[in-house]
Amino acid sequence: MMFGNDNGFSAPPGSAGGGQTADDEEAVNQFAVPGEDGGMIESASASDVPEALSGVSMELLEIKRSIEDGMRQAISQARGVRAADAFSDGGNIQGVSIGLGEGASDSSSGEPGMPALTLYVAEPTSVDRAKAAIVGAMGLRAVASDNVPVNIVVTGLIDAQPHRFRLRPAPGGVSVGHFRITAGSIGCLAVGRSAPRNSRLMILSNNHVLANSNSAVFNDCIVQPGPIDGGRCPQDQVAVLERFVPINFSGGVNFVDCATGWAWPDRVRPELVYLSGGMPAYFRISNALVAPSLGMLVGKSGRTTQLTQGRITGLGATINVNYGSGRIALFQDQIAITGVSGAFSAGGDSGSSIWTWNQQRNPVGLLFAGGGNITFANQMRRVVVALDIKLYT
């Protein structure tokens, strides 16, 4: 069986390799198989968690919130469908976050290492032109001040990343998907916080990976690998759709793109996978969530780019995300990540868990979108609350 190549990636810090232990096999026997407990399977809603932007000036945060309001109003008026002239004037702004200044240039007016307003744009532009577009489209004159530090990051369209090998039991980081999509990635395993869901072993990924962007039906077949990688029902089925947070395409605010699939316990495993010498090797992450912070070094293992390392370069990001067929969804309080060497992610990595690149490997986010060399992730703290789960790692 071909597993692709390891692209020269090093092993995650503190990895021990190895496979599933006897203790792991005994542990999964405690869980119910899909349909066994007869409990309800249902949608979920997102709940609020505190922002991680302490130390940023109120002026900068107020300008950011005003831009978010303008983006929300624009997408509401357009009813979530991108117009032909979408990239003119303020439409070039695809997102906003708080990042760190990079020094005076056409693409940054921020002092190096100090908080700055980061604007994600579809097409290249200068700081001055981007400020002028915001003033013209949103009437936000405060942003025009020379005292407002701004970074410009070209992402192009920010796409929800939908899109190789079959493994049993299936670990985190491999291809998976609803039977009607292409493929995404298994982020990790989870269990519900209360009965009957605390007896279900579940895979965690995105709504657009497991629930076909709101179009799926509960108990639908989920396959590993994903359909584009050859997965078919029923022979490759590992789970059924169990719960998801609906995505609002009508101008409402989204915080998470997430879903769970109720898995057969003997078809999945708690480890994540990476490739070593072309062969799968395994490691574990923690279940102790941590808040993201600017400059934090993080890792992920996903279906397309496998094991990669990145750095958090934006917090509190508000972005317009393209889900295809003209559907646009507005997301707030997202994490922006830049790859340390090359891209941190690509299409098919959606659903990957993102964790601190250190011995602890604490979960930080759930990868769901990207544009240019920027990856965007939901805060994992929001994900577990929205789905009422705890990670099983």
Side-chain angles (χ1 to χ4, degrees), residues 145-165:
S145 171
D146 290 339
N147 294 325
V148 177
V150 170
N151 299 324
I152 302 296
V153 177
V154 180
T155 61
L157 289 181
I158 299 172
D159 293 321
Q161 296 183 341
H163 290 235
R164 271 181 256 254
F165 46 77

Side-chain angles (χ1 to χ4, degrees), residues 123-185:
E123 297 177 351
T125 189
S126 67
V127 169
D128 290 341
R129 289 178 64 186
K131 286 186 172 184
I134 290 173
V135 172
M138 303 178 186
L140 183 57
R141 298 190 180 279
V143 77
S145 171
D146 290 339
N147 294 325
V148 177
V150 170
N151 299 324
I152 302 296
V153 177
V154 180
T155 61
L157 289 181
I158 299 172
D159 293 321
Q161 296 183 341
H163 290 235
R164 271 181 256 254
F165 46 77
R166 185 185 196 276
L167 279 179
R168 292 295 181 274
V174 296
S175 172
V176 75
H178 182 274
F179 73 99
R180 285 186 174 144
I181 72 151
T182 49
S185 299

